[in-house]
Amino acid sequence: MFDPLLPANTIVQWHLEQMVTVTPLRVQKVLYYSHGWHLALAGYPMVSSPMEAWTWGPVNPRVYAAFERYSKDEPIRHLAFRENGESRKLEDESNEHSRYAASLARAVCDSLKGMSDTALFESTHEEGTPWEVAVRDFTAEFQRPPEPWDHEAISNAKIKHFFAAQLNNSSGETAAVNSSSRSDSSSR
């Protein structure tokens, strides 16, 4: 598992290299998809801290804090810094796991590049997604829908189950990520 800023910075770097606008919302959604595919394909989490169900979808609070000064009107232009002042990406780590995780994150970026931020947002809010299930569970437990300040953790087990089920799906963006990830994992 990695500090979530490493894959987030890999995602930001990919977008900057491709000259694709990258917003905090986009980083969060691509990180969520990368983490989900990593759980389904590698069997263990990509990031060391949980994804949470926020109003705008799955969010990693550490990544949120690192990029909160940016917005859709002021896109991200720089990598996030860690507490020690370093601005590292998965590619900066020198082990097989980080190379695999970086390759997977870049494959997810590439497969989702044609989706708008709105479409990414909507895709995480569809019925049956881990975000929607977390919100539904919260509502059942507390007898009210979550407020913007309610941040329910999305279990890695639910995320893994959802993305593993998608491995049998052969259409849309999911298939593109799946096929890229399988070819990357076969070279590990």
Side-chain angles (χ1 to χ4, degrees), residues 1 12 19 56 83 131 139 145 158 187:
M1 289 188 287
V12 169
M19 298 172 54
W56 290 96
E83 290 83 5
W131 177 88
T139 302
K158 285 180 183 171
S187 64

Side-chain angles (χ1 to χ4, degrees), residues 7-15 22 26-27 30-31 34 105 109:
N9 278 340
T10 293
I11 291 163
V12 169
Q13 184 65 42
W14 183 93
H15 284 82
V22 59
R26 184 168 207 83
V27 170
V30 175
L31 178 63
S34 298
C109 287

Side-chain angles (χ1 to χ4, degrees), residues 59-113:
V59 170
N60 183 281
R62 184 156 160 69
V63 173
Y64 175 83
F67 293 109
E68 70 180 321
R69 71 177 179 260
Y70 298 103
S71 68
K72 67 178 180 172
D73 297 323
E74 180 64 32
I76 298 170
R77 299 189 196 303
H78 305 285
L79 302 182
F81 288 94
R82 294 164 69 182
E83 290 83 5
N84 63 5
E86 291 181 327
S87 181
R88 297 181 63 81
K89 309 177 296 300
L90 288 168
E91 296 87 345
D92 298 328
E93 305 297 304
S94 57
N95 61 62
E96 185 177 332
H97 175 61
S98 64
R99 285 188 297 276
Y100 171 72
S103 177
L104 178 62
R106 287 178 166 274
V108 171
C109 287
D110 193 55
S111 71
L112 300 177
K113 69 183 174 194

